[in-house]
Amino acid sequence: MLLEICLILLAVFVYAYYEVTKQFSFFESRGVPYSKPSFPFGSKLTKDLLTKKVKMEDLDRLSAEEFPGEKIFGTFLFGQPIFNVYDEELAKQILIKDFTHFMDRRSMDSNHEIMNAFLTNLKGEEWKS
């Protein structure tokens, strides 16, 4: 009985490891500079944020300092790749000209009605209207 429980726990751990790490080569295969990920948190700054070594307000600044002069770079939140854009013209192109391809972005969900209505928090057709 103990052996079966250990095998089930091992199988669950292996599956979780696979799910989190399967996209860790996402940016490398596209030639985009990225913060090296690690299991289970993803990028180092994500780990620092979740362990409260870094404040949320400092996260973007510290990310930009890690890649000085880069217009775009990648980070990971657990297994999810996240593009970070630090070029005003490229951001305009993505948010205005190419909005049909990039209309759903990561949002900061809030219980506050006004914050949820921010343009950057809207999704799909609601964002376009």
Side-chain angles (χ1 to χ4, degrees), residues 2-60:
L2 183 61
L3 179 63
E4 288 87 4
I5 293 172
C6 290
L7 288 174
I8 290 171
L9 290 175
L10 179 64
V12 169
F13 176 78
V14 168
Y15 178 74
Y17 182 83
Y18 169 75
E19 284 297 316
V20 170
T21 62
K22 70 181 178 183
Q23 293 195 43
F24 279 2
S25 63
F26 180 84
F27 294 114
E28 184 175 13
S29 66
R30 288 163 175 77
V32 175
Y34 65 99
S35 181
K36 185 178 177 188
S38 64
F39 179 80
F41 298 108
S43 299
K44 182 185 180 311
L45 284 175
T46 303
K47 178 182 177 183
D48 290 346
L49 176 69
L50 294 173
T51 57
K52 299 187 180 197
K53 293 179 183 175
V54 172
K55 295 179 183 177
M56 182 68 156
E57 12 341 308
D58 297 331
L59 191 63
D60 287 334

Side-chain angles (χ1 to χ4, degrees), residues 90-108 115-129:
L90 183 57
K92 281 182 188 177
Q93 181 175 344
I94 291 169
L95 294 173
I96 297 170
K97 295 178 183 174
D98 297 330
F99 72 90
T100 56
H101 303 289
F102 299 102
M103 70 175 121
D104 288 337
R105 295 166 305 282
R106 182 178 55 157
S107 63
M108 302 293 283
M115 288 184 69
N116 286 337
F118 284 0
L119 184 60
T120 54
N121 286 336
L122 298 178
K123 302 250 185 230
E125 293 299 321
E126 186 178 28
W127 179 81
K128 289 166 57 173
S129 59

Side-chain angles (χ1 to χ4, degrees), residues 58-118:
D58 297 331
L59 191 63
D60 287 334
R61 179 183 53 80
L62 292 170
S63 294
E65 288 173 0
E66 189 176 347
F67 298 94
E70 294 290 344
K71 293 181 178 185
I72 188 169
F73 61 89
T75 57
F76 291 90
L77 177 60
F78 298 103
Q80 180 182 14
I82 299 170
F83 281 100
N84 296 274
V85 179
Y86 277 88
D87 180 66
E88 185 176 344
E89 292 304 315
L90 183 57
K92 281 182 188 177
Q93 181 175 344
I94 291 169
L95 294 173
I96 297 170
K97 295 178 183 174
D98 297 330
F99 72 90
T100 56
H101 303 289
F102 299 102
M103 70 175 121
D104 288 337
R105 295 166 305 282
R106 182 178 55 157
S107 63
M108 302 293 283
D109 293 330
S110 169
N111 292 332
H112 197 276
E113 183 178 335
I114 293 174
M115 288 184 69
N116 286 337
F118 284 0

